[in-house]
Amino acid sequence: MIKVTNYRQYYEELQTVVEKEHILLDEYLKNHTYTKLGGKADLFVTPSTYEEVQRVVKFANKHNIPLTLLGNGSNLIVRDGGIRGIVLNLERLNDIYVEGDMLIAQSGAAIIESSREALKAKLTGLEFACGIPGTVGGALFMNAGAYGGEIKDVLDYAIVVNREGELLKLAASELDLSYRTSNIPANGYIVLEAGFVLKTGNETEIKAMMDDLTNRRETKQPLEYPSCGSVFKRPPGYYAGKLIQDSGLQGTRVGGAEVSTKHAGFIVNIDNATASDYIALIKNVQETVKEKFNVELEREVKIIGEQD
Ligand SMILES: Cc1cc2nc3c(=O)[nH]c(=O)nc-3n(C[C@H](O)[C@H](O)[C@H](O)COP(=O)(O)OP(=O)(O)OC[C@H]3O[C@@H](n4cnc5c(N)ncnc54)[C@H](O)[C@@H]3O)c2cc1C
């Protein structure tokens, strides 16, 4: 017989390590994901200090409670059955400030907001990030990048909490950042803070670059709908979007999910889609492209959580 743990039983005791108002029971994750998808988290915890994060990690270790980190949910599909145990979200850790040529951002801050603060301080280097709808933590996790720039180019250090709940300050080189990857998942690090080393620049030029990149995104990407960005990796020798377009799949729907008519590489949540709609549509696209072009489309987006 499989033993099912009811993690809600830890609600009271969890209040000894994190403020009560920072813990929600049975919270719908679709309220916290950019995709607007996802069932309930048993315990949704939003610490407001680094110490609280450390204490939550130690608490989860002590009771053997699964701990899942959620940023802005812009690179994830959370299934409709939600996530068991604790979902940790660092939205309350969102300070951004500048010290000389260094921009320091807490991990729950938006990377878009960080690039705007760099502009205000006349610092150049973070322009590439001005349209990436994730958090600083999510951006480090996958070495986010766009238009020739990536986190690796500008990251100086990160403050993380490890699996034991210890605080570590790591040089960027210790995170093994490479194309859309880092060693953050393998080490189970929770990113709390990032220091970006930038250069003094010309405000007008920085702004012009950000406006140009924003314009390029707005004309090509369906930003008017929730989505998880490019769903598939680029298959060697092809473009995923072109294969999907040439398969005649644009506009194909499952429930409230649709293959974008503006950019075939995106699946958009046009009408209260469920994660099951999304996942069924992804499968449909993969099967159709395989049948027509004999190319396997590999998912870029992660799928987590329980089946409904
Ligand atoms: C319209 C659109 C455009 C996009 N354009 C780009 C683009 O140009 N370039 C690009 O690289 N990406 C792009 N993305 C994808 C996405 O925005 C990035 O991958 C982003 O970095 C994800 O951050 P997040 O906070 O949303 O992470 P989430 O989706 O919430 O999480 C992603 C992973 O990061 C982990 N994580 C989150 N926070 C932390 C933390 N503090 N510590 C440790 N792990 C953490 C999560 O556990 C999860 O495994 C786009 C997405 C959309 C919807």
Side-chain angles (χ1 to χ4, degrees), residues 73-264:
S74 64
N75 204 35
L76 285 179
I77 295 170
V78 180
R79 288 198 185 92
D80 302 316
I83 299 180
R84 300 293 70 83
I86 296 175
V87 172
L88 195 63
N89 178 268
L90 304 180
E91 64 189 17
R92 291 182 199 271
L93 288 168
N94 59 12
D95 281 354
I96 306 171
Y97 56 95
V98 170
E99 278 179 3
D101 284 353
M102 180 88 82
L103 183 133
I104 295 153
Q106 291 186 318
S107 64
I111 191 77
I112 293 180
E113 206 43 48
S114 308
S115 70
R116 288 187 190 140
E117 288 300 318
L119 166 66
K120 274 194 214 158
K122 303 184 180 55
L123 291 174
T124 178
L126 264 183
E127 293 89 331
F128 74 88
C130 72
I132 301 178
T135 59
V136 168
L140 263 61
F141 180 95
M142 58 103 73
N143 184 28
Y147 302 111
E150 57 181 358
I151 292 294
K152 186 178 185 219
D153 302 337
V154 284
L155 187 70
D156 182 63
Y157 74 87
I159 294 182
V160 305
V161 169
N162 68 11
R163 285 200 179 101
E164 285 70 49
E166 296 160 337
L167 208 61
L168 309 175
K169 184 171 181 179
L170 303 174
S173 58
E174 293 177 87
L175 293 176
D176 290 346
L177 299 169
S178 68
Y179 186 73
R180 302 298 166 263
T181 63
S182 71
N183 65 19
I184 293 171
N187 288 311
Y189 291 148
I190 297 174
V191 179
L192 295 183
E193 180 182 307
F196 298 108
V197 62
L198 306 174
K199 290 197 180 86
T200 303
N202 175 298
E203 194 177 0
T204 314
E205 284 172 16
I206 299 169
K207 182 162 187 319
M209 164 80 92
M210 287 169 66
D211 288 347
D212 176 44
L213 298 185
T214 303
N215 185 41
R216 284 203 242 168
R217 271 187 199 271
E218 281 172 356
T219 46
K220 289 205 189 105
Q221 298 182 357
L223 302 180
E224 56 281 26
Y225 294 112
S227 78
C228 49
S230 300
V231 177
F232 304 102
K233 292 184 181 161
R234 183 190 291 181
Y238 299 91
Y239 288 96
K242 175 94 170 67
L243 290 169
I244 297 166
Q245 192 174 349
D246 292 348
S247 301
L249 284 162
Q250 281 183 289
T252 305
R253 277 195 198 188
V254 175
E258 182 181 275
V259 179
S260 169
T261 50
K262 193 167 177 184
H263 186 314

